Amino acid sequence: MFPFKLFRCSQSHHRGHNPIFLKAPSDFKSLMRRFYALQTERVEAYRLFEEGHEAYLRTGPHYDFEHYRQLVHEITKAFCGISKEVLEIKERLHQDFDRPDLSEHIEKLQIKEKQKLDLTAKLQLAKQSAQDHPDDESCQEKVREIKQDIIKNKEALSEILQDFKYDSEEPE
């Protein structure tokens, strides 16, 4: 078993409920706090995903794929739940608070977050390939390239979040 706990979605995500409406922050500041809490959850999910993959790589060369597959399943559920709730916040900002500017930032954020998840999965595959073929410089180069793409993605995410923060602090 891997030496970490898995991040799990709340049960409300599994029964088709809309968690934001169950929690229903009725004011703008509460909605903003919830958005930032979700971003923190996303960062934690990435951390657990990375730790889990590192633990998986330590099981090589006869990899423990079953545990890794379970990790991927749990992380996917977590990201799905977070994204669903972020999209509900996006709708509330647009509809309830007449803030299409903030909705647009969230739309851009979601696109970049999906790219980051895709890049993270590619990096994990590349790292395993590099570990399995330590003498193949092309494998090492692929890891470096993907890491650079992730850095660029994180910079873009940071910029979007800065714009979101700045615009959300302006008077409505």
Side-chain angles (χ1 to χ4, degrees), residues 54-66:
E54 288 171 11
Y56 168 72
L57 288 178
R58 286 192 297 274
T59 67
H62 307 291
Y63 296 102
D64 184 355
F65 185 71
E66 282 304 309

Side-chain angles (χ1 to χ4, degrees), residues 81-144:
I82 291 166
S83 289
K84 182 178 176 183
E85 198 169 342
V86 167
L87 290 172
E88 289 168 353
I89 289 172
K90 174 183 167 259
E91 284 303 308
R92 294 248 356 246
L93 287 170
H94 192 79
Q95 302 298 326
D96 299 351
F97 296 98
D98 192 28
R99 294 298 304 267
D101 57 329
L102 298 180
S103 291
E104 189 177 311
H105 291 314
I106 290 178
E107 182 71 27
K108 291 176 186 174
L109 180 81
Q110 288 296 99
I111 290 166
K112 287 294 178 189
E113 287 289 359
K114 179 171 182 347
Q115 289 172 353
K116 181 180 175 185
L117 188 56
D118 291 343
L119 287 168
T120 299
K122 286 178 184 174
L123 178 61
Q124 290 182 355
L125 291 171
K127 281 181 174 181
Q128 182 177 343
S129 184
Q131 180 171 304
D132 292 344
H133 308 285
D135 297 331
D136 187 343
E137 183 55 36
S138 68
C139 291
Q140 308 300 328
E141 181 59 31
K142 186 72 176 167
V143 168
R144 286 190 291 273

Side-chain angles (χ1 to χ4, degrees), residues 9-17 19 23 80-82 84-85:
C9 289
S10 69
Q11 291 300 313
S12 62
H13 294 293
H14 305 297
R15 292 189 297 250
H17 295 297
K23 296 174 182 119
C80 176
I82 291 166
K84 182 178 176 183
E85 198 169 342

